[in-house]
Amino acid sequence: MKLFTPITFRNVELKNRIVMSPMCMYSAEDGVANDFHFVHYGSRAQGGAGLIIVEATGVEPRGRITNKCLGIWNDEQALALKKIVDFVHQNSESKIGIQLAHAGRKGSISAETNRQMSLEEGWETIAPSPIPFHHSERIPHELSVEEIKNLVEDFRKATKRAVDAGFDVIEIHGAHGYLIHQFLSPLSNTRTDEYGGNPENRARFLMEIVDAVNSEITERQALFVRISGTEYAENGWEITDSVELTKILKTKNVDLVDVSSGGNINGVTIPLRPSYQVPLAEDVKKISEIATGAVGLITSAEQAEEILENGQADLIFLAREMLRNPYFAVQSSWQNGDDCFYPHQYLRAKPSK
């Protein structure tokens, strides 16, 4: 199966095309990874995934979605993540990446109640424009140009820590209605300065972050960007915008675009069905001529293989399916007679072909 063939980005070779998609675990304290994260990510490496991407990780305290989300704005956080990276490298063939993120107006959420915390309980949310995600939430602080520049620097510093921790892939989170997406969309960005208005200006924040991240990574790391292919809203961000954006990202040494959708506009209808986002990844791949990752209700090796064989994407990002089955990769390889990493400690249990 093509699903079990290697692929290389820069000098990062993935042994197969199966990626554990970044998914928030809401289990950190002060942004620091703990034993849960060590077991959670380590088990997926033992399960044979070609690439594991650590969940959305805040580049500054306000960048977290909830009070229990990971961070990488200080050395204690980076050291805890390095423990996970070292285990994955020493005990598997998996590569491991990290998703650098900023929640923007969708931050300061209580992991316990799933509601936005008061300013006293949480923190001030920020955005390109003073427009809340939901009318019940606080109006976010509108960023000044100087504050935007400082945030770009936060992404650079976070990248440096991630590189020093040994991560193989850096993914910039530009999707799901978080801060970068908020800048991209004309529905959440009504600025009239150099960061608002036309598409080039609205993409400026992302492009400056890409340049900052590139200044810290080497040929030993690959650079991915996650985007929402569409936000399913009239006059909002559409697939045509995504295609034009990714054409520019390709010129900036972005190795792959991870194409998801939605998340920026409250109350929209998303047409959920198996592989529902795959056509978005296909459009980006074929029109922009850049490698893509497909994600969204992909639940079987056969489904993943069809996507790859049809040339719709280059990697398959699995989210909930990897929560249900950490060993998706090895079990799929048994069923199809393919080779996949298998822990030597468990060899007595490996089925014969």
Side-chain angles (χ1 to χ4, degrees):
M1 297 179 76
K2 190 170 185 179
L3 188 61
F4 291 96
T5 59
I7 186 171
T8 299
F9 301 97
R10 303 196 190 194
N11 289 317
V12 180
E13 183 186 69
L14 308 184
K15 294 297 184 180
N16 58 56
R17 311 298 181 96
I18 299 170
V19 181
M20 178 184 177
S21 193
M23 290 172 284
C24 293
M25 293 291 104
Y26 311 113
S27 299
E29 295 292 337
D30 297 320
V32 180
N34 52 44
D35 287 347
F36 167 80
H37 299 92
F38 184 86
V39 173
H40 173 64
Y41 292 111
S43 64
R44 272 70 192 178
Q46 296 301 285
L51 173 64
I52 297 157
I53 303 184
V54 170
E55 64 205 78
T57 305
V59 299
E60 59 123 339
R62 298 173 302 175
R64 292 171 295 166
I65 304 165
T66 77
N67 54 328
K68 296 291 187 178
C69 287
L70 287 179
I72 192 169
W73 65 82
N74 65 42
D75 292 342
E76 180 187 8
Q77 295 161 346
L79 188 62
L81 290 167
K82 185 178 188 303
K83 179 183 176 183
I84 297 171
V85 172
D86 289 347
F87 176 84
V88 170
H89 286 159
Q90 293 164 13
N91 294 278
S92 75
E93 293 180 351
S94 298
K95 301 299 184 184
I96 183 166
I98 186 170
Q99 187 183 67
L100 301 182
H102 199 297
R105 69 180 184 175
K106 293 181 76 174
S108 195
I109 302 297
S110 166
E112 292 77 20
T113 67
N114 201 34
R115 295 182 180 275
Q116 192 175 72
M117 295 180 285
S118 67
L119 192 57
E120 294 72 29
E121 296 172 311
W123 55 88
E124 180 182 53
T125 56
I126 61 176
S129 302
I131 306 169
F133 175 67
H134 189 270
H135 62 80
S136 66
E137 297 177 345
R138 289 181 274 116
I139 295 175
H141 166 70
E142 182 175 13
L143 291 163
S144 68
V145 170
E146 181 180 3
E147 288 171 324
I148 293 170
K149 300 296 185 184
N150 290 338
L151 286 165
V152 173
E153 179 67 4
D154 288 334
F155 272 90
R156 185 196 66 77
K157 291 177 181 177
T159 303
K160 177 66 164 61
R161 286 194 171 94
V163 169
D164 290 345
F167 282 101
D168 304 294
V169 172
I170 307 297
E171 178 169 274
I172 300 169
H173 197 352
H176 299 166
Y178 299 120
L179 187 60
I180 294 172
H181 186 174
Q182 292 160 31
F183 271 89
L184 291 172
S185 171
L187 299 181
S188 50
N189 181 354
T190 59
R191 300 174 72 97
T192 57
D193 62 7
E194 63 264 43
Y195 290 96
N198 63 47
E200 180 182 359
N201 284 354
R202 286 186 276 113
R204 190 180 306 277
F205 181 48
L206 172 57
M207 297 307 167
E208 289 180 352
I209 290 171
V210 169
D211 289 341
V213 170
N214 266 321
S215 74
E216 294 293 346
I217 65 176
T218 72
E219 288 303 307
R220 294 189 299 274
Q221 293 86 37
L223 176 57
F224 293 3
V225 174
R226 171 166 274 192
I227 64 169
S228 282
T230 178
E231 55 189 15
Y232 305 106
E234 187 177 359
N235 298 321
W237 185 263
E238 296 287 355
I239 185 59
T240 52
D241 300 303
S242 293
V243 166
E244 293 307 312
L245 178 74
T246 51
K247 287 178 181 177
I248 302 171
L249 292 175
K250 183 182 178 183
T251 70
K252 289 183 169 289
N253 294 322
V254 170
D255 297 289
L256 177 138
V257 178
D258 167 12
V259 187
S260 188
S261 68
N264 193 44
I265 306 303
N266 188 64
V268 300
T269 300
I270 300 176
L272 295 175
R273 60 183 182 277
S275 301
Y276 72 104
Q277 294 172 154
V278 172
L280 301 172
E282 181 179 18
D283 283 351
V284 169
K285 175 178 172 60
K286 292 184 176 178
I287 301 173
S288 302
E289 298 182 332
I290 191 170
T292 62
V295 62
L297 295 182
I298 302 169
T299 58
S300 72
E302 292 73 23
Q303 185 183 2
E305 181 70 9
E306 183 178 5
I307 293 165
L308 295 172
E309 288 292 345
N310 290 340
Q312 295 171 288
D314 301 272
L315 295 179
I316 304 298
F317 283 64
L318 300 177
R320 289 170 176 82
E321 189 60 29
M322 289 290 273
L323 297 183
R324 288 186 286 264
N325 182 8
Y327 308 101
F328 176 92
V330 292
Q331 290 183 358
S332 298
S333 71
W334 300 340
Q335 295 163 5
N336 293 282
D338 284 291
D339 289 324
C340 185
F341 168 79
Y342 195 81
H344 68 85
Q345 296 92 338
Y346 301 161
L347 282 175
R348 76 192 72 168
K350 187 175 182 180
S352 57
K353 292 181 180 179

